[in-house]
Amino acid sequence: MNLNEPSPDLLRKLAERLGPKGFTADAVDLDPWLTDWRGRVRGSAAALLSPVNRDEVADIVRWAAAERVAVVPQGGNTSMVAGATPAGGALLLSLRRMNAIRGISHQENIATVEAGVILSDLHRAAEAAGRRFPLSLAAKDSATIGGLISTNAGGTQVLRFGPMRALVLGLEAVLPDGQIFEGLSALRKDNRGYDLRQLLAGAEGTLGIVTAASLRLEAAVGERIVAWVGMADADKALPLLRMLEDRIGDAIEGFELVPSVALELVLRHIERTRDPLAGKHGCYALIEAAFPSGTPAAREAIEAALMEAMERGLVEDASIASNEAQAVALWALRENISEAERLDGISVKHDISVPVSDMPRFMESATRQVEAAFAGARVIAFGHLGDGNIHFNVRSPAGQAAQPWFDANNAAVNRMVHDLVTAAGGSISAEHGIGQLKLAEFARIAGPARLDALRAIKQALDPLGIMNPGKLVPLASDPPAP
Ligand SMILES: Cc1cc2nc3c(=O)[nH]c(=O)nc-3n(C[C@H](O)[C@H](O)[C@H](O)COP(=O)(O)OP(=O)(O)OC[C@H]3O[C@@H](n4cnc5c(N)ncnc54)[C@H](O)[C@@H]3O)c2cc1C
């Protein structure tokens, strides 16, 4: 279905409705928001709209629908799949000015926030109220609640609290015809059939615009314990995780699997990092446990569990951070893997998932097969073991110019990795979504039942196809994938 450019009349009406702070068609103002975070896709838009409330959003969408003009919602623009990058002629709708925290209720244990609230601002507000919003990721100083909901973001605490979908209790949204969906409830139980809230979560802005949400909070963290362990091989990791859960319960929040090649890369490229253990090991894990204040003997429980793991041969050596600075230093080894990779050269990246119990086998076998198929290619596979989420990155052969290798092999590497993960019953997108960058591969792999259902939902809610076209739902009328 063809979409139109906004008419001069529509642009004039929008400028009047939103005022100078809420409307610009100036190329300089638009420029920073037209390229995706990774710098891989450059878009264009007719205007940047920055409403301050849901009624302004509803007018924008209703008027855009009347002219069949595309609307592209954007939060912090940190999408890893170019999900918020508009194609020509669209209205780029930024939610960043809708950034009020409407309230935090200790009794209900919820926060009610507008879509443009930045994640780290919510963390601070929850902390000030003696609570905690239990989802975090490296883009927390830019990513917004609306974007996090729309991508069903994951992050480092999914093992314990689930992804964004599990934390959304209620939603307020503007649907593609401009109607306002009043779903901002604090209900823990609500069984009125199809769940529009869950449909909008993870919809990547293709079914409407999230304007506010009520979100689940948790008890504040009193004590956080971070440990780094060395294991003989990755097969020891899952029995170790399950043993820790048996001993300590759901206080285990993070279990990151780090292969020795990733640690070596970080130690080589990142200043002020050091190996926490004296000897070398086949594989490492970063473990984080968090306890509410007043939990008796939390540290002793972790120490005893790791001691037992050593006696059972699951762990060869371990180091437990004894203060916050040491905890940060241990996390730096994990969080700097991507940066170390970047400093080492370009790589073909994948954010995939497989069943948790299959993760060590998949990492080993897919690494072997990809390295055999692409002579000299070097795989780094690391990730969140508890979620089966693997960052499977393939670097160019040592000593070979990275960019030409990337250009020549990117598509073929993608295909091979996606085929391997599909054969393993996994997903080609664990947490980043489909956006533009994975659209073609999603269309190739998803299968007719999934694609038909997706298209039917899209058609039912957005029959004009104006909401974030060219993302997530492969349609015949989409522009070709970049
Ligand atoms: C350094 C870094 C680390 C990251 N780590 C993780 C990680 O660990 N786990 C993870 O899951 N992701 C991660 N991401 C990806 C990214 O942070 C998430 O996808 C985030 O949810 C996007 O939020 P945003 O506000 O920037 O949204 P944007 O990038 O602006 O938009 C993302 C998508 O949501 C849509 N959208 C935005 N706001 C709305 C709204 N109000 N209503 C409807 N649709 C909307 C957009 O159209 C787009 O499709 C990381 C990104 C970076 C840059």
Side-chain angles (χ1 to χ4, degrees), residues 101-119:
I101 295 180
R102 293 187 189 162
I104 291 189
S105 163
H106 207 287
Q107 293 290 316
E108 290 285 357
N109 220 1
I110 63 166
T112 306
V113 303
E114 290 184 348
V117 167
I118 287 173
L119 179 58

Side-chain angles (χ1 to χ4, degrees), residues 37 73-80 83-84 95 115 137-139 143-144 146-148 150-151 153-155 204-205 208-210 431-432 468:
W37 180 275
Q74 189 180 79
N77 197 26
T78 66
S79 167
M80 289 291 206
L95 278 298
L137 39 77
T144 62
L148 293 157
S150 301
T151 57
E204 302 188 20
I209 294 165
V210 175
E431 54 180 15
H432 293 159
N468 208 6

